């Protein structure tokens, strides 16, 4: 028996055992599924599939608020990738200076801007954040849960996919 996601309460199911030749009498099983605090992610900023993200944007994760204090865990990482080649652009320890936590929101202020004209995705190690009861986050371990695009030419100097913002404007 597997309950539906986020289900808690009473449930039951009925079945007839079968030994390969005959069915037995119907049996009803009653179960109680207890509520579990599962450190649920409720919002991502920028939102998933956003196609107009500022290259200097901070990244934020809001967790369901259970009035628990959240903290980062050393040696667990948030990693930003460039989607077209799966290149890890930078990894940030969950306890680094670039990661701040306020209430139920974790914010990453990357020390480098995102690449203009490129799609990015973010992975977060399971257990990178925990609450007062040591319940940890499930993490993000795929390329589609949190992906977004920084448009080409949207940088302060009209940057493109080659990310040449450090060049003088007369050379770009």
């Amino acid at each position: 028996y597997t309950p539906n996601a986020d289900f808690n309460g009473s449930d039951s199911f009925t079945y007839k055992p079968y030994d390969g030749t005959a069915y037995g009498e119907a049996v009803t099983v009653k179960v109680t599924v207890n509520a579990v605090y599962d450190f649920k992610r409720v919002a991502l900023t920028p939102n998933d599939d956003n196609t107009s993200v500022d290259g200097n944007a901070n990244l934020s994760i809001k967790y369901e608020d259970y009035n628990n204090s959240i903290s980062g865990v050393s040696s667990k990482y948030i990693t930003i990738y460039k989607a077209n080649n799966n290149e890890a652009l930078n990894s940030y320890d969950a306890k680094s200076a670039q990661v701040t936590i306020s209430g139920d929101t974790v914010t990453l202020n990357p020390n480098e801007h995102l690449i203009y004209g490129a799609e990015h995705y973010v992975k977060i190690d399971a257990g990178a954040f925990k609450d007062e009861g040591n319940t940890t986050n499930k993490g993000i371990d795929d390329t589609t849960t949190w992906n977004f695009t920084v448009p080409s030419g949207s940088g302060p100097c009209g940057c493109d996919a080659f990310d040449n913002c450090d060049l003088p404007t007369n050379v770009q």
Side-chain angles (χ1 to χ4, degrees), residues 41 81 121-124 139-147:
R41 195 176 52 247
Y81 293 85
Y121 63 89
V122 179
K123 289 187 176 184
I124 302 172
I140 298 174
D141 192 31
D142 61 58
T143 63
T144 60
T145 298
W146 195 7
N147 62 84

Side-chain angles (χ1 to χ4, degrees), residues 53 74 83 87 91 117 142:
V53 175
S74 291
E87 174 188 358
S91 289
D142 61 58

Side-chain angles (χ1 to χ4, degrees), residues 41-48 60-62 124 140 145-147:
R41 195 176 52 247
V42 295
L44 300 169
T45 304
N47 58 317
D48 185 41
S60 296
I61 311 124
K62 180 176 174 56
I124 302 172
I140 298 174
T145 298
W146 195 7
N147 62 84

Side-chain angles (χ1 to χ4, degrees), residues 61-99:
I61 311 124
K62 180 176 174 56
Y63 289 98
E64 196 165 60
D65 185 7
Y66 283 92
N67 296 319
N68 285 306
S69 192
I70 298 172
S71 60
V73 176
S74 291
S75 300
K76 297 288 185 173
Y77 295 90
I78 301 171
T79 305
I80 302 171
Y81 293 85
K82 187 175 176 186
N84 71 336
N85 62 3
N86 298 312
E87 174 188 358
L89 299 175
N90 217 330
S91 289
Y92 301 91
D93 189 289
K95 287 190 72 84
S96 71
Q98 284 81 25
V99 178

